[in-house]
Amino acid sequence: MVTHKMSTTESNDFLGSLLSNIPFGIIALDKSGNIKLANHLAKEYLDLKPTLDDLINLHILTCIEQIPVLSETFAERFQHIREPFDLKSITINDKYLNINVRLIPNGSIIFIDDITRFKEMEANAVQSIIAGQENERKRIAREIHDGIGPLLSFTKLELDSFIDDFTDREKGFSSEKLDNIRQTIDAITSDLRDLSHRLMPRLLEEFGLFSAFGNLVHRINNNTKTNVELYCNFNAETRFDKEIELNVFRCGQELLNNAVKHARAKDILIQLIKHENSIVLMVEDDGIGFEMGKQDHDKFGIGLTNIDTRVRSLNGEFLLESKKNSGTTASLEIPT
Ligand SMILES: Nc1ncnc2c1ncn2[C@@H]1O[C@H](COP(=O)(O)OP(=O)(O)OP(=O)(O)O)[C@@H](O)[C@H]1O
Ligand SMILES: [Mg+2]
């Protein structure tokens, strides 16, 4: 302790400045529950009306009688139980507070911490996960609406026309029209299969990240001018939690999609690295890049926002670095 070297005045000053600068509310009580010391944050958080000086020697229960959540618990605790206790996330005057009561030799100390900001951040995180899921649903709805919807209407038109012809004895039966209908139904079947794969890719479910990425890379290499290389330090036998696999794969799909669609990259390198307690996905392209600093979230569209949401929902970290004409590097790490 430093105080033994101080005079009484010095140590009072020291205590005073400690109390007024400490970032939480403090109230010290004697054994009977009378206030012996309080700082301005305690007064503010609990909305105590008397001045700090006038609070001294008032009984704690008199001071907090206008706050039912506190007065009931405190009344009970102070009468029967003589042990430390905590009140978590209680709301007083639109603030979320954590209140911890600890025993000291001649009484007790009440610590009051304002956790409103933390609570708001928590609520925002949940909100953005919900928004991410909502966007996913909108994408699927769009896919059904724009892809399968028109194909079905088209089949209906073809069928109507076929039936008209069929009932019109002069025109008679046309096998060509029936053939058209068959082809449209084939297209619908294939679109539906694609859509269900997009919901939960079968390859990923059965054979894991190594195979799913292998297949994705193979398809891009065969269908675009971009050359994609995959480096993975594990094989098809290595499996991760289902949530992690699906989210890492979805992020990889979007990052690759961006690299092919926006970057006009010649080469893309994807790395999937398993560490002892995490998995890292890194996608680098040598394309046109775009103007942004590290984690400049304002530039994010739905695709990048979804990645950020997915990664954060798994307690991971997403970093994006890009510069005009110097390519883009995206990396994410998720604890396993
Ligand atoms: N690899 C990249 N190279 C160059 N520009 C990129 C790259 N990735 C993203 N961008 C830029 O960042 C913007 C935001 O990307 P994001 O994926 O969030 O949205 P989007 O691809 O435009 O739309 P969506 O993903 O919803 O179809 C893109 O429009 C593009 O301008
Ligand atoms: Mg995108």
Coordinates of all heavy atoms in Angstrom, one line a residue, residues 188-261:
I188 N -36.7 -26.8 -65.3 CA -37.2 -26.5 -63.9 C -36.6 -27.5 -62.9 O -36.1 -27.1 -61.8 CB -38.7 -26.7 -63.8 CG1 -39.4 -25.6 -64.7 CG2 -39.2 -26.5 -62.4 CD1 -40.9 -25.8 -64.9
T189 N -36.5 -28.8 -63.3 CA -35.9 -29.8 -62.4 C -34.5 -29.4 -62.1 O -34.0 -29.5 -60.9 CB -35.9 -31.2 -63.1 OG1 -37.2 -31.3 -63.7 CG2 -35.6 -32.3 -62.1
S190 N -33.8 -29.0 -63.1 CA -32.3 -28.7 -62.9 C -32.2 -27.5 -62.0 O -31.3 -27.4 -61.1 CB -31.6 -28.6 -64.2 OG -30.8 -27.5 -64.3
D191 N -33.0 -26.4 -62.3 CA -33.0 -25.2 -61.4 C -33.3 -25.5 -60.0 O -32.7 -25.0 -59.1 CB -34.0 -24.2 -61.9 CG -33.4 -23.3 -63.0 OD1 -32.3 -23.7 -63.5 OD2 -34.0 -22.3 -63.4
L192 N -34.3 -26.4 -59.8 CA -34.6 -26.8 -58.4 C -33.5 -27.5 -57.7 O -33.2 -27.3 -56.6 CB -35.9 -27.7 -58.4 CG -37.2 -27.0 -58.3 CD1 -38.4 -28.0 -58.4 CD2 -37.3 -26.2 -57.0
R193 N -32.8 -28.4 -58.5 CA -31.7 -29.1 -57.9 C -30.6 -28.1 -57.5 O -30.0 -28.2 -56.4 CB -31.1 -30.1 -58.9 CG -30.3 -31.1 -58.2 CD -29.5 -32.1 -59.1 NE -30.4 -32.7 -60.1 CZ -30.3 -32.5 -61.4 NH1 -29.3 -31.7 -61.9 NH2 -31.0 -33.1 -62.3
D194 N -30.3 -27.1 -58.4 CA -29.3 -26.1 -58.1 C -29.6 -25.4 -56.9 O -28.8 -25.1 -56.0 CB -29.2 -25.1 -59.3 CG -28.4 -25.6 -60.4 OD1 -27.9 -26.8 -60.3 OD2 -28.3 -24.9 -61.4
L195 N -30.9 -25.0 -56.8 CA -31.4 -24.2 -55.6 C -31.2 -25.0 -54.3 O -30.7 -24.4 -53.3 CB -32.9 -23.8 -55.8 CG -33.4 -22.8 -54.9 CD1 -32.7 -21.4 -55.1 CD2 -34.9 -22.6 -55.1
S196 N -31.6 -26.3 -54.4 CA -31.5 -27.0 -53.1 C -30.0 -27.2 -52.8 O -29.6 -27.3 -51.6 CB -32.2 -28.3 -53.2 OG -31.6 -29.2 -54.1
H197 N -29.1 -27.4 -53.8 CA -27.7 -27.5 -53.5 C -27.2 -26.2 -52.9 O -26.3 -26.2 -52.1 CB -26.9 -27.8 -54.8 CG -27.0 -29.2 -55.2 ND1 -26.3 -29.8 -56.2 CD2 -27.8 -30.2 -54.7 CE1 -26.6 -31.0 -56.3 NE2 -27.5 -31.3 -55.4
R198 N -27.7 -25.1 -53.4 CA -27.3 -23.8 -52.9 C -27.7 -23.6 -51.4 O -27.0 -23.0 -50.6 CB -27.9 -22.6 -53.7 CG -26.9 -21.5 -53.9 CD -27.3 -20.6 -55.0 NE -27.4 -21.3 -56.3 CZ -28.1 -20.9 -57.3 NH1 -28.7 -19.7 -57.3 NH2 -28.1 -21.6 -58.5
L199 N -28.8 -24.3 -51.0 CA -29.3 -24.2 -49.6 C -28.3 -25.0 -48.8 O -27.9 -24.6 -47.7 CB -30.7 -24.7 -49.5 CG -31.8 -23.8 -49.9 CD1 -33.1 -24.5 -49.9 CD2 -31.8 -22.6 -49.0
M200 N -28.0 -26.2 -49.2 CA -27.0 -27.0 -48.4 C -26.3 -27.9 -49.4 O -26.8 -29.0 -49.8 CB -27.8 -27.9 -47.4 CG -26.8 -28.7 -46.5 SD -25.7 -27.7 -45.6 CE -24.3 -28.8 -45.3
P201 N -25.2 -27.5 -49.9 CA -24.5 -28.3 -50.9 C -24.2 -29.7 -50.5 O -23.7 -29.9 -49.4 CB -23.2 -27.5 -51.1 CG -23.3 -26.2 -50.4 CD -24.4 -26.4 -49.4
R202 N -24.7 -30.6 -51.3 CA -24.6 -32.1 -50.9 C -23.1 -32.5 -50.8 O -22.8 -33.2 -49.8 CB -25.2 -32.9 -52.0 CG -25.5 -34.3 -51.6 CD -26.2 -35.1 -52.8 NE -25.5 -34.9 -54.1 CZ -24.4 -35.6 -54.4 NH1 -24.0 -36.6 -53.6 NH2 -23.8 -35.4 -55.6
L203 N -22.3 -32.0 -51.7 CA -20.9 -32.4 -51.6 C -20.3 -32.0 -50.3 O -19.5 -32.7 -49.7 CB -20.1 -31.7 -52.8 CG -18.9 -32.3 -53.2 CD1 -19.1 -33.7 -53.7 CD2 -18.3 -31.5 -54.4
L204 N -20.6 -30.8 -49.9 CA -20.1 -30.2 -48.6 C -20.6 -31.1 -47.4 O -19.8 -31.5 -46.6 CB -20.5 -28.8 -48.4 CG -20.1 -28.1 -47.1 CD1 -18.6 -27.9 -47.1 CD2 -20.8 -26.8 -46.9
E205 N -21.9 -31.4 -47.5 CA -22.5 -32.2 -46.4 C -21.8 -33.5 -46.3 O -21.5 -34.0 -45.2 CB -24.0 -32.3 -46.6 CG -24.7 -32.6 -45.3 CD -26.2 -32.5 -45.5 OE1 -26.7 -32.4 -46.6 OE2 -26.9 -32.4 -44.4
E206 N -21.6 -34.2 -47.4 CA -21.1 -35.6 -47.4 C -19.6 -35.6 -47.3 O -19.0 -36.5 -46.6 CB -21.5 -36.3 -48.6 CG -23.0 -36.7 -48.5 CD -23.5 -37.5 -49.7 OE1 -22.7 -38.1 -50.4 OE2 -24.7 -37.4 -49.9
F207 N -18.8 -34.7 -48.0 CA -17.4 -34.9 -48.0 C -16.6 -33.7 -47.5 O -15.4 -33.7 -47.6 CB -17.0 -35.2 -49.5 CG -17.6 -36.4 -50.1 CD1 -18.6 -36.2 -51.0 CD2 -17.2 -37.6 -49.6 CE1 -19.3 -37.4 -51.5 CE2 -17.9 -38.8 -50.2 CZ -18.9 -38.6 -51.1
G208 N -17.2 -32.7 -46.9 CA -16.5 -31.6 -46.2 C -15.9 -30.6 -47.1 O -16.1 -30.6 -48.4
L209 N -15.2 -29.7 -46.5 CA -14.7 -28.4 -47.1 C -13.7 -28.7 -48.3 O -13.7 -28.1 -49.3 CB -14.0 -27.5 -46.1 CG -14.9 -26.8 -45.2 CD1 -14.2 -26.1 -44.1 CD2 -15.7 -25.7 -46.0
F210 N -12.8 -29.7 -48.0 CA -11.8 -30.0 -49.1 C -12.4 -30.3 -50.4 O -12.1 -29.8 -51.4 CB -10.9 -31.2 -48.6 CG -9.9 -31.6 -49.6 CD1 -8.7 -30.9 -49.8 CD2 -10.1 -32.7 -50.3 CE1 -7.8 -31.3 -50.7 CE2 -9.2 -33.2 -51.3 CZ -8.0 -32.5 -51.5
S211 N -13.4 -31.2 -50.4 CA -14.0 -31.7 -51.6 C -14.9 -30.6 -52.2 O -15.0 -30.4 -53.4 CB -14.9 -32.9 -51.4 OG -14.2 -33.9 -50.7
A212 N -15.7 -29.9 -51.3 CA -16.6 -28.9 -51.8 C -15.8 -27.7 -52.5 O -16.2 -27.3 -53.6 CB -17.4 -28.3 -50.7
F213 N -14.7 -27.3 -51.9 CA -13.9 -26.3 -52.6 C -13.2 -26.8 -53.8 O -13.1 -26.1 -54.8 CB -12.8 -25.7 -51.6 CG -13.3 -24.5 -50.8 CD1 -13.8 -24.7 -49.5 CD2 -13.4 -23.3 -51.4 CE1 -14.3 -23.6 -48.8 CE2 -13.9 -22.2 -50.6 CZ -14.3 -22.4 -49.3
G214 N -12.8 -28.1 -53.8 CA -12.1 -28.7 -54.9 C -13.1 -28.6 -56.1 O -12.7 -28.2 -57.2
N215 N -14.3 -29.0 -55.9 CA -15.3 -29.0 -56.9 C -15.6 -27.6 -57.5 O -15.7 -27.3 -58.7 CB -16.6 -29.6 -56.4 CG -17.7 -29.6 -57.4 OD1 -18.5 -28.7 -57.4 ND2 -17.8 -30.7 -58.2
L216 N -15.7 -26.6 -56.5 CA -16.0 -25.2 -56.9 C -14.9 -24.7 -57.8 O -15.1 -24.1 -58.8 CB -16.1 -24.4 -55.6 CG -16.5 -22.9 -55.7 CD1 -17.9 -22.8 -56.4 CD2 -16.5 -22.3 -54.3
V217 N -13.6 -24.9 -57.4 CA -12.5 -24.5 -58.1 C -12.5 -25.1 -59.5 O -12.2 -24.4 -60.5 CB -11.2 -24.8 -57.3 CG1 -10.0 -24.6 -58.2 CG2 -11.1 -23.9 -56.1
H218 N -12.7 -26.4 -59.6 CA -12.8 -27.1 -60.8 C -13.8 -26.5 -61.8 O -13.5 -26.3 -63.0 CB -13.1 -28.6 -60.5 CG -13.2 -29.4 -61.7 ND1 -12.0 -29.8 -62.4 CD2 -14.2 -30.0 -62.4 CE1 -12.3 -30.6 -63.4 NE2 -13.7 -30.7 -63.5
R219 N -15.0 -26.1 -61.2 CA -16.0 -25.6 -62.1 C -15.6 -24.2 -62.6 O -15.9 -23.9 -63.7 CB -17.3 -25.5 -61.3 CG -18.0 -26.8 -61.4 CD -19.4 -26.9 -60.7 NE -19.9 -25.7 -60.1 CZ -20.4 -25.6 -58.9 NH1 -20.5 -26.7 -58.2 NH2 -21.0 -24.5 -58.5
I220 N -15.0 -23.4 -61.7 CA -14.6 -22.0 -62.2 C -13.5 -22.2 -63.3 O -13.5 -21.5 -64.3 CB -14.1 -21.2 -61.0 CG1 -15.2 -21.0 -60.0 CG2 -13.6 -19.8 -61.5 CD1 -14.8 -20.2 -58.8
N221 N -12.5 -23.0 -63.0 CA -11.4 -23.2 -64.0 C -12.0 -23.7 -65.3 O -11.4 -23.3 -66.4 CB -10.4 -24.2 -63.5 CG -9.5 -23.5 -62.5 OD1 -9.3 -22.3 -62.5 ND2 -8.9 -24.3 -61.6
N222 N -13.0 -24.5 -65.3 CA -13.6 -25.0 -66.6 C -14.5 -24.0 -67.3 O -14.7 -24.1 -68.5 CB -14.4 -26.3 -66.3 CG -13.5 -27.5 -66.2 OD1 -12.2 -27.3 -66.5 ND2 -14.0 -28.6 -65.9
N223 N -15.1 -23.1 -66.5 CA -16.1 -22.2 -67.1 C -15.7 -20.7 -67.3 O -16.5 -19.9 -67.8 CB -17.4 -22.3 -66.3 CG -18.0 -23.7 -66.4 OD1 -18.1 -24.2 -67.5 ND2 -18.2 -24.3 -65.3
T224 N -14.5 -20.3 -66.7 CA -14.1 -18.9 -66.9 C -12.7 -18.9 -67.3 O -12.0 -19.9 -67.4 CB -14.2 -18.2 -65.5 OG1 -13.2 -18.7 -64.6 CG2 -15.6 -18.3 -64.9
K225 N -12.3 -17.6 -67.7 CA -10.9 -17.5 -68.1 C -9.9 -17.4 -66.9 O -8.7 -17.4 -67.0 CB -10.7 -16.2 -69.0 CG -11.3 -16.5 -70.4 CD -11.1 -15.2 -71.2 CE -11.8 -15.5 -72.5 NZ -12.3 -14.2 -73.1
T226 N -10.5 -17.2 -65.7 CA -9.7 -17.0 -64.5 C -9.1 -18.4 -64.1 O -9.7 -19.4 -64.2 CB -10.6 -16.5 -63.3 OG1 -11.4 -15.5 -63.9 CG2 -9.7 -16.0 -62.2
N227 N -7.8 -18.3 -63.6 CA -7.2 -19.5 -63.2 C -7.2 -19.5 -61.7 O -6.6 -18.7 -61.0 CB -5.7 -19.5 -63.7 CG -4.9 -20.6 -63.1 OD1 -5.4 -21.8 -63.1 ND2 -3.7 -20.3 -62.6
V228 N -7.8 -20.5 -61.1 CA -7.9 -20.6 -59.6 C -7.1 -21.7 -59.1 O -7.2 -22.9 -59.6 CB -9.4 -20.8 -59.2 CG1 -9.5 -20.7 -57.7 CG2 -10.3 -19.9 -59.9
E229 N -6.3 -21.5 -58.1 CA -5.5 -22.5 -57.5 C -6.0 -22.7 -56.0 O -6.3 -21.7 -55.3 CB -4.0 -22.1 -57.5 CG -3.1 -23.2 -57.4 CD -1.6 -22.8 -57.4 OE1 -1.3 -21.9 -58.2 OE2 -0.9 -23.2 -56.5
L230 N -6.0 -23.9 -55.6 CA -6.5 -24.2 -54.2 C -5.3 -24.8 -53.4 O -4.7 -25.8 -53.9 CB -7.7 -25.1 -54.2 CG -8.2 -25.7 -52.9 CD1 -8.7 -24.6 -52.0 CD2 -9.2 -26.7 -53.1
Y231 N -5.0 -24.2 -52.3 CA -4.1 -24.9 -51.4 C -4.8 -25.2 -50.1 O -5.4 -24.3 -49.5 CB -2.9 -23.9 -51.1 CG -2.0 -24.5 -50.0 CD1 -1.1 -25.5 -50.2 CD2 -2.2 -24.1 -48.6 CE1 -0.4 -26.1 -49.2 CE2 -1.4 -24.7 -47.6 CZ -0.5 -25.7 -47.9 OH 0.2 -26.2 -46.9
C232 N -4.7 -26.4 -49.7 CA -5.4 -26.8 -48.5 C -4.5 -27.8 -47.6 O -4.0 -28.7 -48.2 CB -6.7 -27.6 -48.9 SG -7.8 -28.0 -47.6
N233 N -4.3 -27.5 -46.3 CA -3.4 -28.3 -45.6 C -4.1 -29.5 -44.8 O -3.6 -30.0 -43.9 CB -2.6 -27.5 -44.6 CG -3.4 -27.0 -43.4 OD1 -4.6 -27.1 -43.4 ND2 -2.7 -26.5 -42.3
F234 N -5.4 -29.8 -45.3 CA -6.0 -31.0 -44.8 C -6.8 -31.7 -46.0 O -6.9 -31.1 -47.1 CB -7.0 -30.6 -43.7 CG -8.0 -29.6 -44.0 CD1 -9.2 -29.9 -44.6 CD2 -7.8 -28.2 -43.8 CE1 -10.2 -29.0 -44.9 CE2 -8.7 -27.3 -44.1 CZ -9.9 -27.6 -44.6
N235 N -7.3 -32.9 -45.7 CA -7.9 -33.6 -46.8 C -9.4 -33.9 -46.5 O -9.9 -33.4 -45.5 CB -7.2 -34.9 -47.2 CG -7.1 -35.8 -46.0 OD1 -8.0 -35.7 -45.1 ND2 -6.1 -36.6 -45.9
A236 N -10.0 -34.7 -47.4 CA -11.5 -34.9 -47.2 C -11.9 -35.6 -45.9 O -13.0 -35.5 -45.5 CB -12.0 -35.8 -48.4
E237 N -10.9 -36.2 -45.3 CA -11.2 -36.9 -44.0 C -11.4 -35.9 -42.8 O -11.9 -36.2 -41.8 CB -10.1 -37.9 -43.7 CG -10.4 -39.3 -44.3 CD -9.1 -40.1 -44.6 OE1 -8.3 -40.0 -43.7 OE2 -9.1 -40.7 -45.6
T238 N -10.8 -34.7 -43.0 CA -10.9 -33.7 -41.9 C -12.2 -33.0 -42.0 O -12.5 -32.4 -43.0 CB -9.8 -32.7 -42.1 OG1 -8.5 -33.4 -42.2 CG2 -9.7 -31.8 -40.9
R239 N -13.0 -33.2 -41.0 CA -14.3 -32.5 -40.9 C -14.4 -31.5 -39.7 O -13.8 -31.8 -38.7 CB -15.4 -33.6 -40.8 CG -15.5 -34.6 -41.9 CD -15.8 -33.9 -43.2 NE -17.0 -33.1 -43.3 CZ -18.1 -33.6 -43.8 NH1 -18.3 -34.8 -44.2 NH2 -19.2 -32.8 -43.8
F240 N -15.2 -30.5 -40.0 CA -15.4 -29.5 -38.9 C -16.8 -29.5 -38.5 O -17.6 -30.2 -39.2 CB -15.0 -28.1 -39.4 CG -13.5 -28.0 -39.8 CD1 -13.1 -28.4 -41.1 CD2 -12.5 -27.6 -39.0 CE1 -11.8 -28.3 -41.5 CE2 -11.2 -27.5 -39.4 CZ -10.9 -27.9 -40.6
D241 N -17.2 -28.7 -37.5 CA -18.5 -28.5 -37.2 C -19.4 -28.1 -38.4 O -18.9 -27.4 -39.2 CB -18.6 -27.4 -36.1 CG -19.9 -27.1 -35.6 OD1 -20.3 -27.8 -34.6 OD2 -20.6 -26.2 -36.2
K242 N -20.6 -28.6 -38.5 CA -21.4 -28.4 -39.7 C -21.6 -26.9 -40.0 O -21.6 -26.5 -41.1 CB -22.8 -29.1 -39.4 CG -23.4 -29.6 -40.6 CD -24.6 -30.5 -40.3 CE -25.5 -30.5 -41.4 NZ -26.8 -31.2 -41.2
E243 N -21.9 -26.2 -38.9 CA -22.1 -24.7 -39.0 C -20.9 -24.0 -39.6 O -21.0 -23.2 -40.5 CB -22.3 -24.1 -37.6 CG -23.7 -24.0 -37.1 CD -24.6 -23.2 -38.1 OE1 -24.6 -22.0 -38.0 OE2 -25.3 -23.8 -38.8
I244 N -19.7 -24.4 -39.1 CA -18.4 -23.9 -39.5 C -18.2 -24.2 -41.0 O -17.9 -23.3 -41.8 CB -17.2 -24.4 -38.7 CG1 -17.4 -23.8 -37.3 CG2 -15.9 -23.9 -39.3 CD1 -16.3 -24.2 -36.3
E245 N -18.4 -25.5 -41.4 CA -18.2 -25.9 -42.8 C -19.1 -25.1 -43.7 O -18.7 -24.5 -44.7 CB -18.5 -27.4 -42.9 CG -17.4 -28.2 -42.3 CD -17.5 -29.7 -42.7 OE1 -18.6 -30.1 -43.0 OE2 -16.5 -30.4 -42.7
L246 N -20.4 -25.0 -43.4 CA -21.3 -24.3 -44.3 C -21.0 -22.8 -44.4 O -20.9 -22.3 -45.5 CB -22.8 -24.4 -43.7 CG -23.8 -23.8 -44.6 CD1 -23.8 -24.4 -46.0 CD2 -25.2 -23.8 -44.0
N247 N -20.6 -22.2 -43.3 CA -20.3 -20.7 -43.3 C -19.0 -20.4 -44.0 O -18.9 -19.5 -44.8 CB -20.4 -20.1 -41.9 CG -21.8 -19.9 -41.4 OD1 -22.5 -19.2 -42.1 ND2 -22.2 -20.6 -40.4
V248 N -18.0 -21.3 -43.8 CA -16.7 -21.1 -44.5 C -16.9 -21.2 -46.0 O -16.4 -20.5 -46.8 CB -15.6 -22.0 -44.0 CG1 -14.4 -22.0 -44.9 CG2 -15.2 -21.7 -42.5
F249 N -17.7 -22.3 -46.3 CA -18.0 -22.5 -47.8 C -18.7 -21.3 -48.4 O -18.4 -20.9 -49.5 CB -18.7 -23.8 -47.9 CG -18.9 -24.2 -49.4 CD1 -17.7 -24.5 -50.2 CD2 -20.1 -24.3 -50.0 CE1 -17.8 -24.8 -51.5 CE2 -20.2 -24.6 -51.3 CZ -19.1 -24.9 -52.1
R250 N -19.8 -20.9 -47.7 CA -20.5 -19.7 -48.2 C -19.6 -18.5 -48.4 O -19.8 -17.8 -49.4 CB -21.7 -19.4 -47.3 CG -22.8 -20.4 -47.3 CD -23.6 -20.2 -48.5 NE -24.7 -21.2 -48.6 CZ -24.7 -22.2 -49.5 NH1 -23.8 -22.3 -50.4 NH2 -25.7 -23.0 -49.5
C251 N -18.8 -18.2 -47.4 CA -17.9 -17.1 -47.5 C -16.9 -17.3 -48.7 O -16.7 -16.3 -49.5 CB -17.1 -16.9 -46.2 SG -18.1 -16.5 -44.8
G252 N -16.4 -18.5 -48.9 CA -15.5 -18.8 -50.0 C -16.2 -18.6 -51.3 O -15.6 -17.9 -52.2
Q253 N -17.4 -19.0 -51.4 CA -18.2 -18.9 -52.7 C -18.4 -17.4 -53.0 O -18.1 -17.0 -54.1 CB -19.6 -19.4 -52.5 CG -19.7 -20.9 -52.8 CD -21.1 -21.4 -52.7 OE1 -21.8 -21.1 -51.7 NE2 -21.6 -22.2 -53.6
E254 N -18.7 -16.6 -52.0 CA -18.9 -15.2 -52.2 C -17.6 -14.4 -52.6 O -17.6 -13.6 -53.5 CB -19.6 -14.5 -51.0 CG -19.8 -13.0 -51.1 CD -20.6 -12.5 -52.3 OE1 -21.4 -13.3 -52.8 OE2 -20.4 -11.4 -52.7
L255 N -16.5 -14.8 -51.9 CA -15.2 -14.1 -52.2 C -14.8 -14.5 -53.6 O -14.3 -13.7 -54.3 CB -14.2 -14.5 -51.1 CG -14.4 -14.0 -49.7 CD1 -13.5 -14.6 -48.7 CD2 -14.3 -12.4 -49.8
L256 N -15.0 -15.8 -54.0 CA -14.6 -16.2 -55.3 C -15.5 -15.5 -56.4 O -15.0 -15.0 -57.4 CB -14.8 -17.7 -55.5 CG -13.6 -18.5 -55.0 CD1 -13.9 -20.0 -55.0 CD2 -12.4 -18.3 -56.0
N257 N -16.7 -15.5 -56.0 CA -17.7 -14.8 -56.9 C -17.3 -13.3 -57.2 O -17.3 -12.9 -58.3 CB -19.1 -14.9 -56.3 CG -20.2 -14.5 -57.2 OD1 -20.0 -14.6 -58.5 ND2 -21.3 -14.0 -56.7
N258 N -16.9 -12.7 -56.1 CA -16.5 -11.3 -56.2 C -15.2 -11.2 -57.0 O -15.1 -10.3 -57.9 CB -16.2 -10.7 -54.8 CG -17.5 -10.2 -54.1 OD1 -18.5 -10.1 -54.8 ND2 -17.4 -9.8 -52.9
A259 N -14.3 -12.1 -56.8 CA -13.0 -12.0 -57.5 C -13.2 -12.3 -59.0 O -12.6 -11.6 -59.8 CB -12.0 -13.1 -56.9
V260 N -14.1 -13.2 -59.3 CA -14.4 -13.4 -60.7 C -15.2 -12.3 -61.4 O -14.9 -11.8 -62.4 CB -15.1 -14.8 -60.9 CG1 -15.6 -15.0 -62.3 CG2 -14.3 -15.9 -60.5
K261 N -16.2 -11.8 -60.6 CA -17.2 -10.9 -61.1 C -16.6 -9.4 -61.2 O -16.8 -8.8 -62.2 CB -18.5 -10.9 -60.2 CG -19.7 -10.2 -60.8 CD -20.9 -10.5 -60.0 CE -20.9 -9.8 -58.6 NZ -22.2 -10.0 -57.9

